[in-house]
Amino acid sequence: MAHLLMVESWVGSMSRLLPRAIREGGHEFTFLTRDLHHYLRSAPEGTAHPLLGARNVITADTNDAEALPAQVERLHAAFGFDGVITSCDYYLPTVARIADRLGLPGPRPEAVENACRKDATRRVLADAGVPGPRFAVHEEWADLARAAREIGYPLVAKPVDLCAGMYVRRVDDEEQLAAAVRALADFPVNARGQRRAPVVLIEELLDGPEVSVETVSHAGAVQVIGVTDKSVGGAPAFVETGHMFPADLPAADAEAAEQTALAALEALGLTDGVVAHTEIKLTSAGPRVVEVNPRPAGNRITELVRHVTGIDLAAAFVDVALGRAPDLRRTGTGLASAAVGFLVPQATGTLEALDGGRLRTGPDVLEVRLAEPGRQVRAAGSNNEYLGHVMAGDAEGPGARARVEALLGALHSGMVIR
């Protein structure tokens, strides 16, 4: 039995998948958080929150970069941790630094920090010759406006240190760019109380479909698990509306996406102890890296992978955090594809009706999770405003996405927001 230190978590699906993987692996964990109530407020009704299955729950200021290492060293002396882990993007660099300080398995802190800062990722990949969009990073408005004219509209404006698509916007002219910059300036602290970098990243708008490449690295070897497709809506925002695994792509396109992702991971130094989710645009000029996430995919993609291949990426995440070779053997699941679609609100108000009861009985339906009536709703500007999701599979081929889209259509027709 191994003992992991878990530093913070998300409140979504990974807050359940990761503790489950730890438990099913025969291990235990100590949970370290600055605010336990952040998680208890999101506990599912009628069940104990999975984070409360921890051997210990300890409160410390996980945002204090100066004091936290010494506190963790004292905890390590008392409990003897075998690995450090988190499912929260904002604490991935913290975990890498802790693992390095304690001599525990994990990628180099610099590699994780560069992957978690979108501007640093761009610079590292550009220096290594890995294809990406033309970009510029500035803080002052005059510099941003000049760089935008040089790159040419339309552009994508984004923060360098947020996730879930927050404040990522398409901008078609200088007026829209100014509005995007003002909106970012009005959000100086992230949801975990960490002060944000004031710079803005602008990139050329890439054409073509977007996919992600799911990989697991251990002992210097990176294994591709597969390619996932993505649908996006909510313009001018970029809200993920659904995914299917495996992506329905020509073999040459899938191979090109995989090789581009591997080149990006190599350039960043993420070739040991990482489960990664690398987003790629398949443009008319070839694959281009959107971003590299040094953690398992969110938005239920890990479960799509498990339903099709039998590979549990949450369990692989635990294994590599412990310095152990992950079990990546594929097993027969009976499904050729699996897809998830998200219920994305287009209006602001109160959810008055949403009935998915009839959907749950379909033989190809894998999951249905929906918000309860009475919830306050706002029109989606990121991946944080979903009202639920539907997941379905197809035993014959790449038909899972079409099935999910039909199910979502039925849900939308019965949804009332006032």
Side-chain angles (χ1 to χ4, degrees):
M1 174 186 289
H3 186 186
L4 289 113
L5 174 65
M6 186 188 299
V7 182
E8 303 290 1
S9 171
W10 282 128
V11 296
S13 61
M14 194 54 70
S15 71
R16 293 159 178 76
L17 295 175
L18 193 53
R20 184 203 72 191
I22 292 172
R23 183 182 67 254
E24 291 181 354
H27 312 307
E28 59 185 359
F29 68 98
T30 287
F31 185 54
L32 187 67
T33 179
R34 63 191 291 267
D35 180 13
L36 182 59
H37 291 286
H38 177 82
Y39 303 96
L40 297 182
R41 286 192 295 269
S42 303
E45 287 191 25
T47 63
H49 197 289
L51 294 175
L52 294 181
R55 172 177 162 183
N56 311 287
V57 176
I58 299 173
T59 300
D61 188 351
T62 51
N63 290 346
D64 190 336
E66 293 185 4
L68 186 63
Q71 291 177 288
V72 170
E73 282 190 328
R74 290 193 291 273
L75 292 174
H76 183 49
F79 297 126
F81 301 122
D82 301 294
V84 193
I85 200 166
T86 186
S87 64
C88 181
D89 295 56
Y90 299 138
Y91 294 97
L92 290 166
T94 299
V95 160
R97 290 191 294 270
I98 289 172
D100 184 63
R101 179 160 178 153
L102 299 183
L104 296 174
R108 291 185 298 106
E110 181 184 10
V112 176
E113 288 164 5
N114 284 338
C116 290
R117 276 282 300 239
K118 295 178 177 65
D119 52 341
T121 300
R122 285 276 169 254
R123 293 186 181 108
V124 170
L125 297 188
D127 288 346
V130 179
R134 290 176 295 146
F135 71 96
V137 186
H138 295 289
E139 181 176 353
E140 299 300 326
W141 167 250
D143 296 326
L144 279 168
R146 183 183 66 254
R149 290 191 294 270
E150 291 172 354
I151 296 172
Y153 293 96
L155 296 166
V156 178
K158 60 176 68 172
V160 299
D161 50 6
L162 291 176
C163 53
M166 293 184 67
Y167 293 93
V168 179
R169 296 293 183 269
R170 170 180 171 144
V171 295
D172 292 311
D173 53 38
E174 194 164 291
E175 182 179 357
Q176 292 181 8
L177 177 59
V181 170
R182 286 194 300 271
L184 263 178
D186 290 339
F187 193 75
V189 178
N190 69 23
R192 298 307 181 95
Q194 299 169 335
R195 184 154 293 276
R196 293 189 44 258
V199 296
V200 178
L201 173 62
I202 55 174
E203 302 173 348
E204 68 171 312
L205 181 69
L206 299 172
D207 64 356
E210 185 172 332
V211 299
S212 62
V213 181
E214 324 308 335
T215 56
V216 179
S217 66
H218 173 68
V222 184
Q223 182 163 334
V224 174
I225 304 303
V227 180
T228 310
D229 77 8
K230 177 188 296 186
S231 56
V232 178
F238 295 84
V239 180
E240 296 179 3
T241 59
H243 303 276
M244 185 171 74
F245 183 90
D248 186 15
L249 292 174
D253 286 348
E255 174 68 13
E258 291 173 6
Q259 291 305 313
T260 303
L262 292 173
L265 294 170
E266 178 69 28
L268 287 163
L270 295 171
T271 57
D272 188 22
V274 179
V275 177
H277 169 71
T278 303
E279 297 174 343
I280 306 284
K281 272 274 194 176
L282 298 174
T283 79
S284 55
R288 298 290 184 267
V289 176
V290 176
E291 62 183 52
V292 180
N293 299 283
R295 44 79 177 159
N299 269 357
R300 307 301 287 170
I301 291 174
T302 56
E303 290 301 274
L304 300 182
V305 171
R306 184 178 63 83
H307 279 300
V308 174
T309 69
I311 295 172
D312 187 339
L313 289 175
F317 192 32
V318 172
D319 286 333
V320 298
L322 292 170
R324 302 178 180 185
D327 182 1
L328 303 179
R329 292 172 296 177
R330 295 172 185 260
T331 59
T333 66
L335 289 181
S337 67
V340 64
F342 300 98
L343 197 59
V344 180
Q346 306 298 321
T348 297
T350 301
L351 179 65
E352 292 196 354
L354 180 59
D355 182 11
R358 287 175 293 177
L359 303 184
R360 302 175 196 274
T361 58
D364 50 358
V365 174
L366 303 171
E367 290 181 9
V368 177
R369 295 185 183 174
L370 303 174
E372 294 292 332
R375 174 171 163 175
Q376 295 302 301
V377 176
R378 62 179 178 179
S382 72
N383 299 341
N384 293 325
E385 286 85 35
Y386 298 141
L387 293 179
H389 69 263
V390 178
M391 185 185 295
D394 179 13
E396 303 299 327
R401 173 179 287 284
R403 178 58 176 147
V404 161
E405 289 175 350
L407 294 170
L408 281 178
L411 279 175
H412 274 291
S413 65
M415 181 171 65
V416 178
I417 298 175
R418 288 198 175 93

